[in-house]
Amino acid sequence: MPSTPSTLGDFTVLPISIPPLPSFPKSTTHYLYLRRNTPKIPTPNDSRSLFLTNCPVDSTDLHLRSLFASLVGPGRFESATFEDERKDTAHKLSPLDAAVPVNAVHLLRAHGSTKKRKREEEEDADKSREDEAARLPSTWTRPLRRSGSTAVVLLADEKSVEQVLKACAKLPKTKKYPEWGAGDVASKVPALGSVWLKQHNRLCYPDPATLQQAVDAFSAVFARREKEAAEIAKRLRNEPDEDGFVTVTRGGRNAPASRSEAEEARKKMIERAEKKRQEMEGLYRFQLREKQKEEQEELLKRFEDDRKKLEAMRMKRGKFVPEA
Amino acid sequence: MDSGPAKRRKLDHSQDGAEKALESAVSTGGVSRSRAFILEAEELLEEVRIDYKTAFEGADQLLHKIKGSIEAIKAQEPLPILEAATKFEKKSKIKIPFPDPQPPKNSNYKVAFAKPAQFNVVGSYVSKTMLKTQKDHSVDMIVVLPQEILQEKDYLDLRYFYKRAYYLAVVANALQKEFGSDGQLSYEYLNGNPLCPVLAIQPKAPEATGKESKGCLQYRIRVIPCAPEGFFPKRKLHLGASLVRRGRDSESETPAHPTAFYNSTVSAEGSFMSYLKLLRQTEKKCAAFKKACILGRTWLQQRGFGGDISKGGFGHFEWSVLLALLLQGGQKMGHAALSTSLSATQLFKAQIQFLSVMNFSEKACVLGTESADLEEYIESGPILYDFARGLNVAFKMGHWSAALLHQHAKWTRNLMSDSSADQFTSTFILRADLPSHTFDLFAHLNYSDVLDEVIGNDYSESRGRVWQLGSKVYRVLNRALGDKELGERARVIHIQTPEQPGWALSEKPKDQSRAALEVGVLFDPANMSRVVDKGPSAGATAEEKEECDRFRRFWGDKAELRRFERDTIRETLVWKSTTPFEICEEIMRYILALHLRIGHLEDDISFYGNGLVDLLSIKPADTTLYNVARKEFSTFERDIRNLDDLPLRVRQIAPVCPELRHASVKPPVFGSLKSGPQPMDCIISFEASGKWPESIAAIQRTKIAFLLMIGNLLENSKQGVKTHVGLEDAHFETENLAFLDVIYESGPAFRLRIHSDLEESLLERQVKDKTLEQYLRQRATTQLAAFRRLYTNLPLHSQMINTSITRFPALGPTIRLVKHWFNSHKLSWHFSEEFVELVVLHVFLCPYPWDAPSSPSTGFMRVLLFLSRWDWRSEALIVDSNGELTGSDRMAIATRLEAWRKIDPNMNHTVLFVATAQETSGTAWTAVGGEARPGKVVAMRMTGLAKAAGRVMREGGLGLDPRRLFVPGLREYDVLIHLNSKVVKSCLKTYGHIDPSEGSAGREGARFKNLDVVTGEEMLPLARHPGDVLMEQLERVYGGPLVFFRGGAEEDCVIGAIWNPGVGRRTFRTGMGGSYKPVKQRKGEGEEEEEKVEVELNKEGMVAEMARLGGDLVEKIEMK
């Protein structure tokens, strides 16, 4: 095999040797690509973090910790955040965010964020606590990473970053690639294979009490939000918006009508109109005549269509020859 | 046909152009539903047309030369037949093809040779109605024997045929000398009729003569000696006459058997010219006649019919004569049955209609008069009597071929009245004579031991002894299986007699008594499974006694008296077997041995057609198991409905899994200890309520609370019920999050999911909401599709399959077989079970050119045929079980498919398109999460595999081991992951209180079973099958670079994978999906050489990863 390049664009190549397994008795090499982390929205920790791509699918915190320890010695590795975990936060998958009543979302969006944000930090902390309580238990002991996915590794300091990159640059010369899952990593992380699948099945059936708690926590938050939304709606009825218009909402004195009710009313109206239209059909002679004309045109069109289809079939030869 | 064009004209005289187009439409057969059929038929006519000039180049010259040489033969003085024969054979080394029995030693009549009275070219060469695709093309030339060498009495005792044979031999001798060098001469039977040998001259292949072979056919010329017209008196040749008296001399007191076939052959010998005239006249009178004949010929050919006796004796000639007679006046009331102004397709359809109404083997059909009554002769064979020419046109048919022809005509008529089916392809293109597709049971009779015993030296049947035996077999089987009193077990019984090939001039015809006789049976599924036959009741009256006697005579010792309800005592037959196939086999073996002594030895009769059913060991008892499952389900439903404290009233609990619709590969079995319970899916819906929260996420949470509550209530109210709330593998809070597994101690387990209608309207609103972000709308769209699939379509689908199962008894087993096929070829991971069920159902609903399959094996074969022919790129599969879809609905579906193909020509999102009456979107079962499932590659693989299976079947014939159709081709996969079956099985067992990671160490330690913690512990149900979970994970992780294949969840322990061909070497970027390794790439030359680093898939690295994540599950991984 020709020597592997040590860099790939602005990435440094980190080859990792993979020990053979009984089911695939062949030692192979995996290539990890890393560079300094430079996200579009900078964070204070950027200088001491590394951006990794092409992570092995069975990567865990521990795996990476042992990998970096073998490169630059222990104690430099702080934590790793994997792509799917980051996406979770980016896409706001917390159950609490989902727990906003639809009409509230709608109203808020229509009216700009009128909600006064008090004590934001305090609220954030509250939120993460509630979030945790409402979250359903995970069904996996160890999630797999998508093949070729990325991760951000936080190291102890800037110097460690330098050292890691340097160590990687040296590797192609020495050919002494670090080993994946070296040491006692395997025994520390949850096992894959059959145990992993069994655990999954087991975790799919959580304790009913836990489940009930999560549901309760969620409903509590949801009820609060709903109340808030109702208040906003009520307020909106009387408050003019930027242009000076007052939103007129349907409903009684206490609460606006739910959207589904409004939709149903609309449906009914359309139905009524449709019925009326149907009754009127075929009443006059000119209508009948037009209808017949239309039918005839339709027939002609279909005739043409058939001919076209036939042309198309003729293109595909063999359609018209009886099978032997 | 056309509902009055005059009326239409009145309406739109303003539109000239439109009217013209309309008129053109009318002229091609009217603006009717069958437009496409007409156009396609025109196309077919164009396609099969032969250019006679090039195809039969030199034929005319050759005919002239032959005529010349025959005329040049010197006349011979009359000599006694035996003397002449010996002399001739000695001199010329040519055998005289005397029909059996050979001329008797003591015959003293004389044979002579004189110049033929007349020559003529007849048949489809003159009428130009041959097909390009027909098997062999022949030009028929008749040579009329001169009257002076014949005597009127010659119609008796084969004398005419002996003279004819001698005449033919003399002609053959002369032509052999003349053409022996540039052609091949041989004898053959005219239409397989052993009385009429003819001489075939095959000109040397055009290649040999160095001519241009383009468009030139391999034709041959047949020289057919025949009798002068009207030479033999017609009244002597009527169907009831007995004209072969020899060979039965000893028992001359017994009334002679009528020799219907012999008589008709003699008549036919003298009527070549009159039929030629009839056809020429009709051609002139009716413009479309020829085309209708070509269409008819195609139709017959695709169904295996031909003029040859072994092909049913109804070929092109019989078709055109019948059509000509129908077009002629002199029918009822003096009118012609058909108008000469009809178009070719109309004539064709009319003739099909006629054939579907008339069954020649049941009622004599006489054309040309009303007075003739021939009913008494129907025993001897089917009758289609042309009164004017005094010939039974159907004389070469057997009862079975007439019945089959009638059946085919009926099927085609059904097809013609079904406007939604593809009428053209089924009528003219598909082969409908493949025994494995047509018959439920097929048997080979080996009769050589019994032929002499049963038939002896009886030559009264001129079609030969094998044919005679076949007709006996048919008579016995028809009585046994087609008894209307008992309830017809078989719809069609068909006998295939061996074909007689041509033979060399110097030889005797090859003996066919070694070839097997083939019997095909098409079941009536409702009756074939009957185990007890109730015969006539044993009463005291003479009539009843005779009935019973007859019954006993036919059935022998098998008949016994039994007492039934209401004290009736009846003659009864009890069969031991259980499946329809086995019962049929048992009956056939018994009755053939009893009456014809065939099958005393086991290998005298070999049966085919059950191999597939055996393969899956489908038993009638399976139905009971499915019914048990259904019953358990109703118990479960009642238990839920009886819960008092539910806040909402239950509206419906609908089953949605294959086990509860008779469609799972294996029937449901409860209480197996080998795995955790595998619950059956059900959907529960409640009465409409305003209490559901107006947020999808909140609805999902509320459902969990609901499930917890139902579980609690059930456990409290019922003994022996365990419930578990399980979590789905959901990615978003807005998806369904949980289900409830209810496990009965007695074994059955059910999985409940809650349907909330508000969820649907909220999702719909999100999809329509234009102010929402695109990705959210996208997500809502896929979630809405998933919602509809699970809560709307699945219950309806289950219901539809369940009703269809009762309508078609063979549907359930066929579905199971086809699913097994998908499993064996590792396709089932990509195809939803519902899709497979719909495909099978379609084959039952649109069974053309046959009727709905009546056994799983024919069903399976036809499903494969359908899959191999389905052009899913441009055709939508429309399954309409109740005929609810109108023509415009179907058009709309087709338009939708077209639109999809326009938006997505590479077929990334939609590949297979399957619409039903309830679900017209077409993608409910063939797309998941906005992605086509199966993808294009997999769909193509399905088609390819079905085509390959069809090839194997055609090559293997009947004796094909059906297992061959189910062998997966493992070599085609790039990566093969072999799972350890033991470990997979162990994954089926999980326990609530035992952590699997603690391993089996603790268990092995327990020496005593009763101390083992596992014993007595309840197993958790399986949330999903571990095999499926593994596949899902693999697909999630490696979805881009690899496509995975696996069969059914149960046994398949080999996962196949193929590298995506689109993922090759490329430049590096992040998030490519897949593991890549850097490769140096040299570009340019010499000094400008520049090194560029690219990446390519790190295949070995990925396989090593799979080995790691599979752990102990994976036994080994093979890589190409």
Side-chain angles (χ1 to χ4, degrees):
Chain A
M1 195 174 140
S3 66
T4 43
S6 59
T7 57
L8 194 65
D10 52 350
F11 282 92
T12 308
V13 179
L14 169 52
I16 308 166
S17 86
I18 309 281
L21 276 173
S23 53
F24 190 65
K26 202 170 183 186
S27 42
T28 51
T29 318
H30 185 93
Y31 298 90
L32 199 65
Y33 309 107
L34 39 85
R35 65 154 196 233
R36 288 168 198 279
N37 191 21
T38 50
K40 276 179 195 143
I41 309 153
T43 58
N45 288 334
D46 281 350
S47 58
R48 60 188 182 101
S49 52
L50 275 171
F51 180 75
L52 271 57
T53 183
N54 211 17
C55 295
V57 295
D58 57 341
S59 305
T60 59
D61 223 52
L62 273 174
H63 273 97
L64 291 182
R65 185 183 293 275
S66 116
L67 177 70
F68 282 98
S70 72
L71 279 178
V72 291
R76 304 297 180 84
F77 182 90
E78 212 161 86
S79 71
T81 322
F82 291 97
E83 184 181 332
D84 32 4
E85 289 165 14
R86 270 181 297 131
K87 258 193 190 148
D88 251 22
T89 45
H91 276 245
K92 300 219 172 116
L93 239 190
S94 90
L96 283 196
D97 284 308
V100 183
V102 178
N103 51 353
V105 178
H106 195 76
L107 285 171
L108 285 175
R109 202 153 8 92
H111 219 262
S113 187
T114 49
K115 197 176 166 193
K116 280 164 207 145
R117 285 200 160 254
K118 287 180 262 172
R119 307 179 311 244
E120 252 181 48
E121 266 171 41
E122 202 178 308
E123 212 169 58
D124 267 0
D126 258 9
K127 196 182 152 191
S128 68
R129 196 162 34 74
E130 282 174 343
D131 219 59
E132 206 46 53
R135 199 177 271 279
L136 293 174
S138 163
T139 56
W140 290 101
T141 48
R142 179 173 164 190
L144 293 182
R145 318 290 164 200
R146 276 181 57 89
S147 182
S149 65
T150 63
V152 173
V153 169
L154 194 62
L155 296 178
D157 46 24
E158 268 175 67
K159 223 175 95 197
S160 319
V161 173
E162 288 289 328
Q163 276 175 332
V164 168
L165 290 176
K166 245 182 223 161
C168 290
K170 262 188 230 158
L171 279 177
K173 282 168 210 147
T174 59
K175 295 255 175 186
K176 271 192 179 168
Y177 302 152
E179 195 176 300
W180 185 248
D184 53 353
V185 173
S187 60
K188 279 186 201 157
V189 292
L192 291 174
S194 67
V195 173
W196 177 60
L197 288 181
K198 282 189 210 174
Q199 292 274 27
H200 169 68
N201 197 43
R202 196 159 160 258
L203 291 172
C204 276
Y205 296 98
D207 181 35
T210 337
L211 212 54
Q212 189 70 56
Q213 268 169 23
V215 171
D216 288 346
F218 181 91
S219 2
V221 176
F222 184 76
R224 203 180 67 222
R225 292 276 170 88
E226 210 171 24
K227 215 170 120 200
E228 280 172 15
E231 267 162 27
I232 294 169
K234 211 166 158 191
R235 202 167 65 234
L236 284 180
R237 300 168 111 188
N238 311 322
E239 267 178 35
D241 61 12
E242 294 108 78
D243 301 328
F245 289 103
V246 176
T247 317
V248 180
T249 44
R250 195 170 169 275
R253 193 176 291 271
N254 301 319
S258 75
R259 288 244 313 174
S260 56
E261 253 171 65
E263 252 165 39
E264 245 160 57
R266 212 174 105 79
K267 229 184 259 169
K268 247 182 224 161
M269 201 176 77
I270 292 172
E271 257 169 41
R272 222 177 295 139
E274 176 68 16
K275 205 174 156 201
K276 203 168 177 194
R277 211 175 54 76
Q278 271 177 3
E279 275 169 4
M280 292 296 285
E281 230 164 62
L283 190 64
Y284 299 105
R285 204 186 150 134
F286 80 90
Q287 281 177 329
L288 282 175
R289 241 186 341 243
E290 264 170 16
K291 203 170 155 198
Q292 267 164 341
K293 224 181 260 178
E294 258 169 39
E295 266 170 21
Q296 222 152 63
E297 268 162 29
E298 177 70 13
L299 271 177
L300 277 176
K301 204 180 128 258
R302 272 202 269 171
F303 185 65
E304 278 304 307
D305 281 355
D306 281 343
R307 207 152 43 200
K308 264 184 217 150
K309 217 182 271 169
L310 202 76
E311 281 298 320
M313 273 167 81
R314 203 176 292 160
M315 289 293 170
K316 287 187 258 167
R317 287 192 62 81
K319 271 259 179 186
F320 294 104
V321 185
E323 274 180 5
Chain B
M1 288 263 133
D2 197 352
S3 59
K7 215 179 202 173
R8 194 170 288 125
R9 217 162 286 144
K10 216 186 274 171
L11 280 166
D12 61 354
H13 38 74
S14 55
Q15 294 168 292
D16 263 358
E19 190 174 347
K20 252 180 214 154
L22 255 182
E23 257 166 18
S24 82
V26 168
S27 66
T28 51
V31 186
S32 66
R33 278 188 223 130
S34 46
R35 265 179 339 263
F37 182 75
I38 293 161
L39 293 173
E40 285 163 330
E42 287 288 328
E43 200 64 29
L44 170 86
L45 288 170
E46 194 55 39
E47 201 67 39
V48 298
R49 203 176 53 88
I50 294 176
D51 184 359
Y52 286 82
K53 258 206 186 120
T54 54
F56 292 93
E57 207 182 343
D60 286 340
Q61 289 99 301
L62 194 56
L63 285 169
H64 279 294
K65 265 167 79 184
I66 292 171
K67 183 172 175 248
S69 347
I70 295 176
E71 278 174 333
I73 301 173
K74 264 193 276 166
Q76 288 174 12
E77 286 303 304
L79 277 175
I81 180 160
L82 287 175
E83 195 190 326
T86 356
K87 217 167 137 192
F88 176 80
E89 285 185 356
K90 210 178 235 170
K91 207 171 124 200
S92 62
K93 307 236 163 56
I94 286 178
K95 272 256 181 255
I96 300 175
F98 286 130
D100 274 336
Q102 297 290 315
K105 297 259 158 30
N106 55 1
S107 49
N108 50 8
Y109 50 90
K110 294 174 176 170
V111 290
F113 188 88
K115 223 172 87 179
Q118 203 183 352
F119 292 90
N120 218 324
V121 182
V122 297
S124 42
Y125 177 67
V126 266
S127 62
K128 299 206 157 74
T129 50
M130 289 196 205
L131 306 181
K132 239 184 223 167
T133 51
Q134 82 194 51
K135 224 173 172 186
D136 45 30
H137 299 84
S138 59
V139 180
D140 294 348
M141 178 162 85
I142 52 167
V143 175
V144 182
L145 267 56
Q147 295 206 1
E148 58 260 35
I149 66 166
L150 295 173
Q151 288 177 327
E152 206 198 291
K153 273 274 188 184
D154 280 348
Y155 62 83
L156 274 176
D157 282 340
L158 287 95
R159 255 192 259 167
Y160 161 72
F161 294 103
Y162 295 144
K163 289 189 174 177
R164 184 185 177 281
Y166 179 77
Y167 197 90
L168 182 69
V170 173
V171 169
N173 185 25
L175 293 180
Q176 170 85 315
K177 280 179 198 148
E178 185 87 23
F179 298 98
S181 52
D182 40 70
Q184 173 105 41
L185 275 74
S186 61
Y187 287 131
E188 62 182 53
Y189 286 138
L190 179 65
N191 290 326
N193 186 344
L195 293 172
C196 306
V198 298
L199 179 70
I201 304 167
Q202 173 99 52
K204 277 240 172 83
E207 291 94 54
T209 54
K211 262 191 244 161
E212 195 61 30
S213 66
K214 186 102 166 119
C216 192
L217 289 166
Q218 272 279 32
Y219 64 91
R220 68 208 150 98
I221 290 174
R222 296 198 292 183
V223 179
I224 305 169
C226 67
E229 201 178 339
F231 183 76
F232 297 119
K234 264 185 204 168
R235 62 198 156 72
K236 299 269 189 191
L237 298 175
H238 67 90
L239 291 176
S242 171
L243 302 181
V244 183
R245 293 162 194 167
R246 196 161 51 80
R248 251 200 324 275
D249 295 337
S250 50
E251 54 214 275
S252 50
E253 294 93 48
T254 55
H257 276 293
T259 49
F261 178 77
Y262 176 88
N263 307 356
S264 298
T265 309
V266 177
S267 300
E269 280 293 291
S271 47
F272 278 96
M273 287 310 288
S274 48
Y275 279 109
L276 183 65
K277 260 178 239 151
L278 169 72
L279 295 179
R280 294 310 292 259
Q281 273 167 10
T282 322
E283 267 167 39
K284 267 183 213 143
K285 244 182 2 193
C286 173
F289 177 70
K290 270 191 195 177
K291 284 182 175 177
C293 288
I294 296 180
L295 290 180
R297 183 175 217 151
T298 315
W299 184 81
L300 288 168
Q301 180 189 304
Q302 296 313 88
R303 276 148 193 79
F305 278 99
D308 200 286
I309 285 177
S310 66
K311 284 183 177 162
F314 194 93
H316 171 248
F317 172 75
E318 286 76 12
W319 173 281
S320 35
V321 166
L322 175 59
L323 187 57
L325 291 175
L326 290 175
L327 281 163
Q328 253 193 354
Q331 304 296 320
K332 278 181 190 154
M333 321 294 285
H335 292 302
L338 298 175
S339 152
T340 48
S341 58
L342 294 179
S343 74
T345 40
Q346 283 167 329
L347 283 177
F348 171 79
K349 284 184 185 178
Q351 175 110 321
I352 291 291
Q353 177 79 21
F354 182 82
L355 290 173
S356 70
V357 176
M358 302 300 290
N359 186 347
F360 305 142
S361 78
E362 277 177 4
K363 194 173 175 302
C365 170
V366 183
L367 294 168
T369 181
E370 280 176 80
S371 53
D373 184 21
L374 301 170
E375 280 317 313
E376 50 182 314
Y377 309 124
I378 199 79
E379 260 305 287
S380 66
I383 296 177
L384 169 62
Y385 200 75
D386 174 12
F387 190 76
R389 274 149 286 268
L391 178 68
N392 176 16
V393 179
F395 74 98
K396 284 176 295 187
M397 299 181 91
H399 278 296
W400 55 87
S401 70
L404 187 67
L405 181 73
H406 176 63
Q407 198 59 260
H408 269 300
K410 268 200 334 208
W411 291 335
T412 305
R413 189 193 56 190
N414 291 347
L415 168 62
M416 290 301 166
S417 57
D418 183 352
S419 60
S420 61
D422 178 5
Q423 301 178 330
F424 173 74
T425 310
S426 307
T427 312
F428 296 120
I429 302 297
L430 280 177
R431 297 274 317 205
D433 62 339
L434 301 168
S436 53
H437 289 80
T438 314
F439 298 112
D440 297 323
L441 174 142
F442 216 76
H444 275 210
L445 305 189
N446 190 356
Y447 50 80
S448 47
D449 305 335
V450 295
L451 194 59
D452 289 332
E453 232 178 292
V454 177
I455 309 295
N457 276 331
D458 182 3
Y459 287 104
S460 63
E461 173 54 67
S462 315
R463 272 169 279 198
R465 301 198 299 165
V466 178
W467 198 92
Q468 199 176 353
L469 181 73
S471 112
K472 283 201 169 162
V473 168
Y474 178 77
R475 209 163 293 161
V476 169
L477 287 182
N478 198 31
R479 171 103 194 261
L481 298 172
D483 192 333
K484 285 200 174 107
E485 303 280 306
L486 300 176
E488 275 177 311
R489 286 176 182 274
R491 289 182 289 165
V492 174
I493 299 167
H494 187 65
I495 309 279
Q496 181 72 53
T497 49
E499 202 173 338
Q500 173 79 54
W503 68 97
L505 296 184
S506 56
E507 287 168 18
K508 279 185 157 183
K510 289 184 190 92
D511 186 17
Q512 286 300 303
S513 57
R514 293 272 143 213
L517 203 60
E518 293 165 5
V519 180
V521 181
L522 182 66
F523 298 169
D524 183 331
N527 286 331
M528 191 50 98
S529 51
R530 192 177 56 223
V531 183
V532 177
D533 279 325
K534 291 182 199 166
S537 61
T541 63
E543 211 174 282
E544 279 173 318
K545 268 201 181 122
E546 189 174 338
E547 280 270 302
C548 289
D549 250 18
R550 270 188 41 217
F551 190 82
R552 278 190 170 275
R553 262 205 307 281
F554 184 72
W555 288 106
D557 299 339
K558 196 81 189 171
E560 50 188 84
L561 283 176
R562 287 210 173 196
R563 173 180 299 220
F564 289 97
E565 69 277 6
R566 274 189 255 122
D567 268 358
T568 51
I569 298 175
R570 305 178 99 177
E571 293 283 352
T572 312
L573 307 166
V574 181
W575 305 104
K576 285 192 234 63
S577 311
T578 45
T579 67
F581 184 93
E582 283 165 2
I583 292 176
C584 186
E585 183 178 337
E586 190 186 349
I587 296 176
M588 281 174 70
R589 274 192 196 281
Y590 172 76
I591 206 76
L592 287 179
L594 183 69
H595 287 276
L596 300 171
R597 298 179 211 183
I598 304 177
H600 275 315
L601 299 171
E602 186 69 12
D603 53 346
D604 269 356
I605 314 182
S606 25
F607 287 88
Y608 302 97
N610 207 30
L612 285 164
V613 180
D614 282 344
L615 200 71
L616 211 55
S617 64
I618 290 173
K619 293 185 290 286
D622 293 354
T623 318
T624 334
L625 290 175
Y626 284 109
N627 288 338
V628 167
R630 286 294 299 196
K631 231 174 101 195
E632 294 293 349
F633 169 75
S634 3
T635 318
F636 169 65
E637 186 179 2
R638 209 176 41 242
D639 287 345
I640 296 266
R641 282 185 190 275
N642 284 349
L643 296 178
D644 296 329
D645 302 328
L646 282 181
L648 292 177
R649 269 230 339 261
V650 178
R651 194 174 61 201
Q652 192 199 10
I653 302 176
V656 291
C657 59
E659 282 83 8
L660 290 174
R661 50 175 188 254
H662 297 248
S664 56
V665 176
K666 284 188 183 158
V669 183
F670 305 123
S672 103
L673 287 173
K674 285 189 188 129
S675 78
Q678 299 184 29
M680 297 184 278
D681 294 289
C682 307
I683 300 291
I684 183 169
S685 43
F686 296 100
E687 59 175 358
S689 159
K691 286 183 203 157
W692 291 102
E694 275 210 41
S695 147
I696 302 175
I699 290 177
Q700 306 301 359
R701 295 292 177 134
T702 317
K703 283 187 189 172
I704 301 182
F706 228 135
L707 290 173
L708 283 166
M709 179 198 276
I710 296 177
N712 263 334
L713 290 173
L714 258 182
E715 278 188 0
N716 292 339
S717 70
K718 282 284 286 186
Q719 286 285 313
V721 176
K722 273 231 164 251
T723 64
H724 302 267
V725 174
L727 295 178
E728 306 260 22
D729 204 14
H731 298 290
F732 303 107
E733 283 282 335
T734 47
E735 284 175 287
N736 190 40
L737 292 174
F739 50 81
L740 177 73
D741 282 353
V742 180
I743 297 138
Y744 285 82
E745 217 166 38
S746 52
F750 299 92
R751 173 163 298 168
L752 211 55
R753 289 189 177 86
I754 296 178
H755 170 218
S756 145
D757 34 10
L758 184 61
E759 196 181 333
E760 187 176 14
S761 49
L762 288 177
L763 281 171
E764 266 171 9
R765 207 182 293 162
Q766 276 190 16
V767 171
K768 278 186 212 142
D769 190 350
K770 292 208 175 69
T771 57
L772 217 56
E773 279 99 328
Q774 193 53 41
Y775 78 93
L776 281 176
R777 282 180 71 188
Q778 195 68 45
R779 190 192 295 169
T781 313
T782 54
Q783 278 178 10
L784 183 63
F787 178 94
R788 291 201 171 133
R789 177 187 165 110
L790 179 60
Y791 296 109
T792 318
N793 298 329
L794 254 175
L796 285 174
H797 173 85
S798 283
Q799 210 176 10
M800 179 168 83
I801 295 292
N802 258 328
T803 43
S804 305
I805 292 271
T806 47
R807 195 168 137 201
F808 304 110
L811 176 63
T814 309
I815 290 178
R816 293 169 59 194
L817 268 177
V818 176
K819 279 186 180 172
H820 180 58
W821 186 77
F822 272 88
N823 272 345
S824 316
H825 289 290
K826 304 195 182 298
L827 290 171
S828 43
W829 173 249
H830 292 272
F831 290 87
S832 64
E833 299 211 24
E834 292 75 25
F835 165 78
V836 179
E837 287 159 22
L838 285 175
V839 167
V840 178
L841 182 59
H842 172 75
V843 169
F844 275 74
L845 292 170
C846 269
Y848 313 113
W850 301 279
D851 200 7
S854 39
S855 72
S857 22
T858 43
F860 173 76
M861 295 293 178
R862 293 192 212 163
V863 170
L864 285 193
L865 179 71
F866 168 76
L867 287 178
S868 67
R869 295 192 52 95
W870 182 22
D871 176 16
W872 37 263
R873 281 177 189 80
S874 57
E875 280 169 38
L877 174 64
I878 302 174
V879 183
D880 183 14
S881 62
N882 292 329
E884 293 161 60
L885 289 172
T886 62
S888 54
D889 288 340
R890 283 168 185 277
M891 294 258 276
I893 290 167
T895 318
R896 189 166 304 133
L897 174 69
E898 247 168 65
W900 266 114
R901 293 291 183 255
K902 251 175 220 156
I903 309 170
D904 180 21
N906 290 329
M907 293 189 250
N908 295 323
H909 302 289
T910 318
V911 179
L912 302 181
F913 196 90
V914 187
T916 62
Q918 295 92 19
E919 203 284 312
T920 50
S921 82
T923 51
W925 313 118
T926 53
V928 172
E931 293 281 313
R933 183 158 197 98
K936 196 166 122 195
V937 182
V938 185
M940 272 156 66
R941 201 174 152 69
M942 169 192 81
T943 306
L945 281 168
K947 279 193 176 141
R951 253 196 318 278
V952 169
M953 275 186 299
R954 242 168 287 139
E955 282 162 14
L958 284 172
L960 174 79
D961 183 359
R963 267 171 294 186
R964 275 187 62 200
L965 300 178
F966 293 85
V967 179
L970 291 181
R971 265 177 300 168
E972 288 149 48
Y973 299 104
D974 295 326
V975 180
L976 282 176
I977 307 173
H978 296 269
L979 301 182
N980 185 332
S981 57
K982 262 191 199 156
V983 180
V984 174
K985 264 180 205 147
S986 85
C987 284
L988 298 174
K989 297 182 214 168
T990 51
Y991 302 90
H993 301 288
I994 305 158
D995 190 349
S997 61
E998 280 156 20
S1000 47
R1003 270 169 66 193
E1004 271 162 28
R1007 280 180 56 214
F1008 301 104
K1009 197 107 191 163
N1010 55 352
L1011 296 182
D1012 194 340
V1013 261
V1014 175
T1015 324
E1017 178 77 29
E1018 289 276 336
M1019 263 189 265
L1020 276 177
L1022 284 179
R1024 267 163 317 142
H1025 196 280
D1028 288 346
V1029 178
L1030 183 67
M1031 283 297 279
E1032 224 166 71
Q1033 288 295 320
L1034 283 174
E1035 206 157 72
R1036 190 178 71 83
V1037 171
Y1038 299 108
L1042 276 167
V1043 186
F1044 292 93
F1045 293 87
R1046 183 168 182 269
E1050 310 300 323
E1051 286 103 7
D1052 199 356
C1053 278
V1054 183
I1055 298 176
I1058 289 174
W1059 299 108
N1060 189 344
V1063 184
R1065 195 172 279 198
R1066 50 175 66 186
T1067 47
F1068 178 76
R1069 62 185 171 78
T1070 55
M1072 286 194 294
S1075 169
Y1076 286 84
K1077 63 182 176 195
V1079 214
K1080 275 181 194 163
Q1081 172 99 4
R1082 280 174 207 286
K1083 270 200 176 169
E1085 275 172 35
E1087 283 134 62
E1088 282 172 62
E1089 190 174 292
E1090 170 191 8
E1091 239 178 43
K1092 198 179 162 210
V1093 183
E1094 287 192 324
V1095 288
E1096 65 177 20
L1097 275 183
N1098 185 2
K1099 292 183 177 173
E1100 284 190 350
M1102 286 163 78
V1103 172
E1105 277 178 347
M1106 284 183 237
R1108 289 209 296 281
L1109 70 88
D1112 55 343
L1113 267 174
V1114 176
E1115 203 165 79
K1116 73 174 184 222
I1117 301 188
E1118 283 177 70
M1119 210 178 141
K1120 218 188 223 172

